[in-house]
């Protein structure tokens, strides 16, 4: 079951910080990805990091002491055209990683939803995922389905791990409710770091509202956001 807002907030401190990073993310993001994909899953390190990180958007959840708890990235393939699809452009969400002690709290769902909403802001009309087959059901609950065969093989293997290509059409309106897992992501209170316009729009599209509270950024990463307070947001839709 999805933990309550109170339980998650208590476990993470006074709410985690949400940051959107355009381009190469901080080293702590790579450290988490290495821990999950290379250390736990045996993916070769030279496959985990690639040139696409430099042009991707990264959703990051940061906990107490600057510890990165979850991350994911959004890339737009060159040109973004969808052959024979007849509409718009698509993006690819990947590198979804959650630190082991914080799994099962909705953080993976949260960073995925955040990048979906960023994709809508960018004018994209669909998202694809090259997901490991063991987590296929997680993404199906989030409204993803196997992509049409015309785009290439649906099931394949990467780094010796069975994968499936999944796809979800995006709608221009806020919050993608149809077909979603009815359990909301378990982040009821968070702080938005850097006050970047993209991050604020994404949070509002996800149903969060600003509380009016501000705080100085934690020491970790403060240099990059010096003089820019973090803003507190809450989402009332997190189930009790």
């Amino acid at each position: 079951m999805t933990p309550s807002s109170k339980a998650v907030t208590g476990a993470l401190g006074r709410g985690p910080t949400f940051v959107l990073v355009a381009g190469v993310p901080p080293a702590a993001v790579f450290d988490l990805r290495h821990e999950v994909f290379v250390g736990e899953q045996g993916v070769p390190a030279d496959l985990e990091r690639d040139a696409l990180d430099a042009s991707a958007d990264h959703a990051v959840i940061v906990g107490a002491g600057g510890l990165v708890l979850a991350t994911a990235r959004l890339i737009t393939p060159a040109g973004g055209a969808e052959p024979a699809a007849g509409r718009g452009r698509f993006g690819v969400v990947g590198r979804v990683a959650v630190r082991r002690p914080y799994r099962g709290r909705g953080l993976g769902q949260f960073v995925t939803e955040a990048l979906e909403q960023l994709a809508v802001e960018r004018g994209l009309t669909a998202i694809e995922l090259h997901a490991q087959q063991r987590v296929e059901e997680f993404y199906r609950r989030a409204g993803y389905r196997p992509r049409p065969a015309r785009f290439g093989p649906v099931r394949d293997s990467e780094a010796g791990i069975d994968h499936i290509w999944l796809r979800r059409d995006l709608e221009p309106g806020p919050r993608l409710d149809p077909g979603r897992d009815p359990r909301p992501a378990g982040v009821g209170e968070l702080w938005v770091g850097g006050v970047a316009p993209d991050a604020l729009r994404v949070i509002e599209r996800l149903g969060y509202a600003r509380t009016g509270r501000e705080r100085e950024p934690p020491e970790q990463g403060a240099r990059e956001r010096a003089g820019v307070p973090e803003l507190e947001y809450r989402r009332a839709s997190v189930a009790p």
Side-chain angles (χ1 to χ4, degrees):
M1 295 193 48
T2 302
S4 69
S5 171
K6 181 177 180 181
V8 172
T9 301
L12 301 180
R14 289 179 50 234
T17 297
F18 168 67
V19 183
L20 274 179
V21 180
V24 179
V29 170
F30 287 123
D31 290 344
L32 172 59
R33 284 173 27 179
H34 188 93
E35 177 181 318
V36 172
F37 298 118
V38 180
E40 295 183 19
Q41 301 177 8
V43 174
D46 60 343
L47 291 181
E48 196 291 304
R49 291 182 64 164
D50 59 32
L52 294 172
D53 282 313
S55 58
D57 292 285
H58 304 264
V60 185
I61 292 289
V62 184
L67 183 68
V68 174
L69 307 181
T71 185
R73 77 178 186 185
L74 170 68
I75 60 175
T76 304
E82 298 181 71
R87 61 188 295 266
R89 301 184 305 146
F90 72 93
V92 177
V93 167
R95 300 301 194 272
V96 181
V98 180
R99 194 170 295 277
R100 186 189 292 273
Y102 297 92
R103 293 171 191 167
R105 305 182 181 188
L107 300 185
Q109 179 182 337
F110 178 88
V111 291
T112 301
E113 286 185 345
L115 291 179
E116 289 173 353
Q117 297 299 336
L118 180 62
V120 173
E121 287 284 328
R122 299 280 168 81
L124 305 183
T125 59
I127 287 291
E128 291 192 353
L129 292 158
H130 195 216
Q132 295 181 19
Q133 290 187 27
R134 65 179 182 83
V135 294
E136 177 180 347
E137 185 57 32
F138 169 83
Y139 288 111
R140 282 182 176 270
R141 289 198 304 267
Y144 286 84
R145 297 294 180 265
R147 73 177 183 184
R150 67 174 179 269
F151 293 116
V154 175
R155 296 182 185 270
D156 56 16
S157 178
E158 184 177 25
I161 302 173
D162 291 333
H163 281 68
I164 179 171
W165 278 101
L166 299 168
R167 185 180 181 89
R168 175 178 173 80
D169 289 335
L170 302 176
E171 300 297 335
R175 272 205 74 119
L176 309 177
D177 288 327
R180 306 296 301 195
D181 184 337
R183 300 169 299 175
V187 185
E189 173 189 279
L190 54 77
W191 299 82
V192 181
V195 200
D198 275 345
L200 297 181
R201 286 194 292 268
V202 163
I203 289 300
E204 289 168 357
R205 292 180 68 91
L206 287 172
Y208 287 82
R210 185 178 172 186
T211 67
R213 296 172 62 196
E214 299 182 2
R215 72 177 182 186
E216 292 299 312
E219 184 176 348
Q220 180 79 11
R223 182 171 57 182
E224 292 82 356
R225 305 194 298 274
V228 181
E230 294 187 343
L231 307 180
E232 186 185 48
Y233 277 73
R234 288 182 180 168
R235 182 162 66 177
S237 60
V238 173

